[in-house]
Amino acid sequence: MESTNDQQGELYEVFIQSKPGQSFKHAGSVHAFDKNMALQNARDTYTRRNEGTGIWVVPSKEITALSLEEQAYFVEPSTDKIYRHPTFYNLPEGVKNM
Amino acid sequence: MTVQAVIEQEKLAQFEAKIENEIKIEPNDWMPEDYRKHLIRQISQHAHSEVIGMQPEGNWITRAPSLRSKKILLAKIQDEGGHGLYLYAAAETLGVSREQFISWLHEGKAKYASVFNYPTLNWADIGAIGWLVDGAAITNQVSLQRTSYGPYSRAMVRICKEESFHQRQGYEIMWRMMEGTKDQQRMAQDALNRWWWPSLMMFGPHDTDSPRSEKAIQWKIKRESNDRLREKFINKTIPQAELIGLKVPDPELRLNEDGTYQHGDINWDEFYAVINGNGPCNKQRLQHHIKAHQDGAWVRETAAIHQQKMNNHGKH
């Protein structure tokens, strides 16, 4: 499929923190040739309207993701332990602050 | 049936169940080859449109009538570049590189919205583009927020948040001209006359002449048909024109009893001529993109060498 020698850098994933104290959320991706360029491109692409102050950039190839084949059984153990949820428990009528 | 065929069939059934239940398809999910191909074509065409669309407006940055309007136009055009990037990133998740998309554009193998092949002759055109071209794009993009492909949908949500400023700035330009001198009013009306029909063409051929649409709607890549979206755009735009004293250049336009509008025939010969490269500015737009890309090649080459040096340095 490739018919070009052009290069546009590596792919980085961008995570934005909307306010101090909030968790970082995936915003999208950018191309860059190094970390600093990735940060600058992320700022220009994803924070033109006060979307956030904190920015993380991570080379996409460094991200380890669950494979599609693993998905079903890998997360399966969490579904059969309903006693991990507070709603599982019976409580006496009238109990407060619980 | 072979084992392989059974597995394929099962995957297709899972895919169709997700589409049915409004569960987004993500990059690593199995998808039919035609679904992938349709998305690659549609999203890259959308991305190219955003980027090529910077040119007709860029024509007026140095000639904007005030510092206020120059700053606004710069911000708008920067947004369009950003929108192109969101969309290229979404398209890349389908397994085609950014470099490849750009080279398909330069080879004439990829299309972009035909509306950007019309010239911007005066300042009123900047108003007409923001109001009508962005207005038509918003109508389409609001609907596409619900597209079945996750990365495309997320790009659309982000873009829609930014687009309404674009339309308002365009309408404000038209309104101010309609409040101005007779000459300014004539300019605004002339711009509407020239941009109205190309804006309606942005929604694509009539549903009866749009062969790919059916599958795209079935897979929920597109959520509403070309004609339905065009109708929505017309219905909201005509009262906006009337409010500031502009007249839509369609002698056959009629108000239906249900409050919707009936429009005259669209000149599809013109649409296909422009799509196929024979619009007023096709050559100029593509050549400019190729030149800008080539002029920037040394920056990318230098950056790539720098990157390699830093990587080698890191290994010692």
Side-chain angles (χ1 to χ4, degrees):
Chain A
M1 223 175 212
E2 293 291 322
S3 68
T4 166
N5 296 319
D6 191 28
Q7 38 192 340
Q8 305 222 355
E10 307 224 340
L11 199 60
Y12 285 77
E13 297 306 316
V14 180
F15 298 82
I16 305 281
Q17 185 188 36
S18 58
K19 275 184 212 149
Q22 301 276 321
S23 45
F24 282 72
K25 221 175 135 189
H26 185 238
S29 39
V30 291
H31 282 241
F33 287 92
D34 66 21
K35 295 183 235 178
N36 289 333
M37 192 189 283
L39 270 179
Q40 285 167 1
N41 289 352
R43 175 200 59 193
D44 293 347
T45 311
Y46 293 103
T47 63
R48 290 195 301 282
R49 289 180 177 76
N50 307 321
E51 284 90 343
T53 42
I55 305 178
W56 289 347
V57 289
V58 185
S60 307
K61 62 174 191 232
E62 300 295 337
I63 291 179
T64 309
L66 193 59
S67 81
L68 194 62
E69 293 73 36
E70 290 168 333
Q71 248 174 36
Y73 69 83
F74 196 85
V75 296
E76 196 268 333
S78 67
T79 56
D80 64 354
K81 297 180 179 63
I82 50 171
Y83 45 82
R84 281 176 170 159
H85 296 277
T87 48
F88 175 77
Y89 298 91
N90 298 317
L91 291 174
E93 191 117 343
V95 67
K96 283 184 180 145
N97 300 321
M98 189 173 275
Chain B
M1 208 184 267
T2 64
V3 177
Q4 195 54 38
V6 174
I7 293 172
E8 286 287 302
Q9 216 168 42
E10 210 168 284
K11 284 177 177 170
L12 181 63
Q14 284 173 358
F15 170 84
E16 282 172 348
K18 277 188 197 161
I19 299 282
E20 174 69 26
N21 295 312
E22 300 286 332
I23 296 170
K24 301 281 184 227
I25 307 300
E26 293 297 335
N28 291 331
D29 293 353
W30 184 91
M31 61 187 86
E33 225 20 62
D34 282 349
Y35 179 82
R36 185 184 298 276
K37 273 193 199 145
H38 191 108
L39 283 171
I40 287 172
R41 207 193 64 252
Q42 182 171 329
I43 304 175
S44 65
Q45 187 174 316
H46 200 158
H48 297 324
S49 302
E50 299 280 357
V51 173
I52 297 287
M54 296 165 79
Q55 290 185 41
E57 297 187 299
N59 186 33
W60 281 89
I61 291 175
T62 55
R63 283 170 280 190
S66 68
L67 182 58
R68 177 185 187 268
S69 54
K70 191 193 290 266
K71 279 160 67 180
I72 292 170
L73 189 58
L74 272 169
K76 178 183 189 294
I77 296 172
Q78 189 192 14
D79 273 356
E80 307 299 2
H83 296 175
L85 292 179
Y86 305 156
L87 285 158
Y88 282 126
E92 281 171 79
T93 63
L94 294 156
V96 179
S97 71
R98 176 91 48 105
E99 293 85 344
Q100 182 65 71
F101 284 123
I102 304 292
S103 99
W104 280 336
L105 175 68
H106 290 175
E107 290 160 21
K109 291 178 185 159
K111 302 233 185 285
Y112 55 84
S114 63
V115 74
F116 298 119
N117 290 313
Y118 291 85
T120 40
L121 304 179
N122 62 54
W123 179 250
D125 290 36
I126 299 304
I129 288 184
W131 173 39
L132 301 171
V133 177
D134 286 77
I138 293 168
T139 310
N140 187 32
Q141 288 169 162
V142 164
S143 174
L144 284 171
Q145 289 182 109
R146 290 166 52 240
T147 186
S148 57
Y149 188 55
Y152 193 25
S153 162
R154 292 190 282 275
M156 284 299 110
V157 170
R158 198 170 280 280
I159 287 174
C160 283
K161 272 190 203 151
E162 301 182 351
E163 282 282 358
S164 59
F165 129 60
H166 297 179
Q167 199 193 12
R168 285 182 179 208
Q169 67 87 29
Y171 189 61
E172 191 197 68
I173 291 172
M174 296 301 259
W175 177 44
R176 289 184 68 177
M177 292 186 100
M178 291 308 288
E179 299 275 292
T181 64
K182 280 269 176 287
D183 277 342
Q184 286 172 324
Q185 290 170 6
R186 266 197 294 272
M187 277 170 74
Q189 181 62 53
D190 165 64
L192 171 60
N193 292 351
R194 285 181 290 109
W195 290 94
W196 174 252
W197 292 106
S199 301
L200 294 194
M201 292 175 198
M202 284 175 72
F203 296 97
H206 287 306
D207 298 347
T208 45
D209 303 321
S210 183
R212 293 201 197 94
S213 279
E214 200 183 330
K215 199 77 182 165
I217 286 195
Q218 189 192 325
W219 279 333
K220 298 184 181 171
I221 293 173
K222 289 169 79 166
R223 301 307 305 252
E224 287 169 289
S225 77
N226 295 353
D227 284 330
R228 175 76 192 110
L229 290 167
R230 184 163 25 236
E231 196 183 317
K232 277 189 173 177
F233 170 71
I234 291 172
N235 291 342
K236 64 185 176 190
T237 306
I238 288 177
Q240 293 167 357
E242 285 170 351
L243 184 69
I244 57 175
L246 284 165
K247 198 172 175 324
V248 170
D250 180 356
E252 290 167 61
L253 191 76
R254 280 203 322 271
L255 184 61
N256 295 325
E257 273 179 23
D258 63 359
T260 61
Y261 291 88
Q262 185 75 40
H263 65 84
D265 288 340
I266 294 172
N267 183 349
W268 294 113
D269 290 342
E270 177 182 325
F271 173 75
Y272 287 111
V274 178
I275 282 269
N276 291 322
N278 299 315
C281 302
N282 294 56
K283 285 199 184 77
Q284 184 188 334
R285 299 288 183 245
L286 201 56
Q287 271 166 12
H288 184 80
H289 193 282
I290 292 171
K291 182 177 185 301
H293 193 68
Q294 285 171 349
D295 288 351
W298 71 271
V299 179
R300 295 189 297 277
E301 281 161 24
T302 311
I305 293 167
H306 171 74
Q307 180 187 30
Q308 210 156 21
K309 272 190 190 162
M310 297 314 272
N311 286 349
N312 292 340
H313 183 73
K315 277 177 198 142
H316 290 298

